[in-house]
Amino acid sequence: MKAIALLSGGLDSTLAAKIVMKQGIELEALNFLTVFCTCTNRGETCLASQKAVDALGIPLKVFNVSEEYLNVVKDPKHGYGSHMNPCIDCRIFMLKKAKTYMEEAGASFIVTGEVLGQRPMSQRRDAMRLIEKEAGLGGYIVRPLSAKFLPVTIPEKEGWVNREKLLGFQGRSRKPQIELADHYGIHDYPCPAGGCLLTDPVFAKRMKDLMDHKSDF
């Protein structure tokens, strides 16, 4: 059984991949790079995913989707977050691409490091359902860190993934993830700060000004 893991290189996605791998599932990591990726406090770029897969011992495929992604930023169907971050549309965009790659690679489902309630816009229960539906992946996204609080997925129903070995994390606290990382001996991971320039208030103001005055940039 093979699955595709969306891997940013951050702690959550690394842990999600580790949990699924421990069930004997073949895993390939996928990372989508845009010009809005920024550095964390430890100076890691979004390609911290390379360091993560080296530690996990799995292959990594990276796609630079910057040009296509600009269309999402300019006109997000589901609107922006507190600044210029189109988080729901961003997830739909990335997961649609992941679905295409999953089918090409002969994999059966997607794994993400999402934690219920951690991000206010895209990791609410209703937002997760919406994203999954619009990405065409209803029932095929396994979220190992919060699975106990979420509906049973098709991989679990089919017996590809043992639900009893998945977890029940929720909320914004990072303590459970840090404790699990210590348990697995995972220590070299980026800080949670940073990630996307579109969430930065100063950058977002400049981005909006550019869009207002030169929409065809």
Side-chain angles (χ1 to χ4, degrees):
M1 184 57 58
K2 181 177 179 178
I4 300 297
L6 296 191
L7 193 75
S8 67
L11 181 56
D12 293 347
S13 60
T14 303
L15 288 173
K18 184 74 172 179
I19 291 165
V20 171
M21 286 175 63
K22 284 179 70 66
Q23 295 202 26
I25 294 163
E26 180 187 352
L27 212 57
E28 183 173 354
L30 199 56
N31 180 270
F32 295 106
L33 187 64
T34 80
V35 293
F36 301 110
C37 289
T38 187
C39 295
T40 70
N41 289 342
R42 291 186 185 174
E44 297 287 350
T45 67
C46 285
L47 282 177
S49 54
Q50 183 61 60
K51 185 177 288 186
V53 295
D54 288 345
L56 292 167
I58 60 176
L60 170 67
K61 185 76 174 180
V62 178
F63 291 100
N64 190 324
V65 294
S66 293
E67 194 166 345
E68 278 184 86
Y69 186 62
L70 285 179
N71 294 322
V72 177
V73 176
K74 289 178 181 181
D75 187 25
K77 176 182 175 182
H78 299 286
Y80 300 103
S82 54
H83 298 293
M84 293 297 292
N85 46 306
C87 297
I88 291 177
D89 292 270
C90 176
R91 292 300 292 176
I92 293 168
F93 173 79
M94 302 295 184
L95 284 166
K96 280 183 175 178
K97 291 202 163 292
K99 180 177 184 285
T100 298
Y101 186 76
M102 176 187 79
E103 292 165 350
E104 291 173 354
S108 300
F109 61 96
I110 302 288
V111 177
T112 78
E114 293 165 289
V115 174
L116 183 65
Q118 187 175 92
R119 298 187 184 275
M121 189 172 183
S122 63
Q123 293 183 12
R124 304 186 318 268
R125 195 182 301 273
D126 60 326
M128 286 178 167
R129 284 197 299 267
L130 172 68
I131 290 165
E132 197 167 302
K133 181 180 178 182
E134 293 206 11
L137 282 164
Y140 284 94
I141 300 176
V142 175
R143 301 174 175 94
L145 298 179
S146 288
K148 295 290 179 67
F149 289 113
L150 298 170
V152 178
T153 62
I154 291 169
E156 292 166 70
K157 289 177 182 176
E158 293 293 331
W160 308 337
V161 174
N162 184 346
R163 184 176 177 85
E164 295 304 310
K165 294 182 179 179
L166 304 180
L167 304 177
F169 295 170
Q170 67 173 333
R172 306 195 72 171
S173 172
R174 303 275 295 173
K175 187 176 178 181
Q177 289 95 310
I178 291 169
E179 289 177 351
L180 185 60
D182 287 340
H183 172 73
Y184 284 144
I186 299 171
H187 303 295
D188 190 11
Y189 52 85
C191 296
C196 178
L197 281 169
L198 295 168
T199 63
D200 179 84
V202 177
F203 183 87
K205 186 176 179 180
R206 294 167 65 192
M207 187 72 183
K208 187 175 187 308
D209 184 62
L210 173 62
M211 289 170 61
D212 288 344
H213 292 88
K214 190 175 175 59
S215 60
D216 62 342
F217 73 94

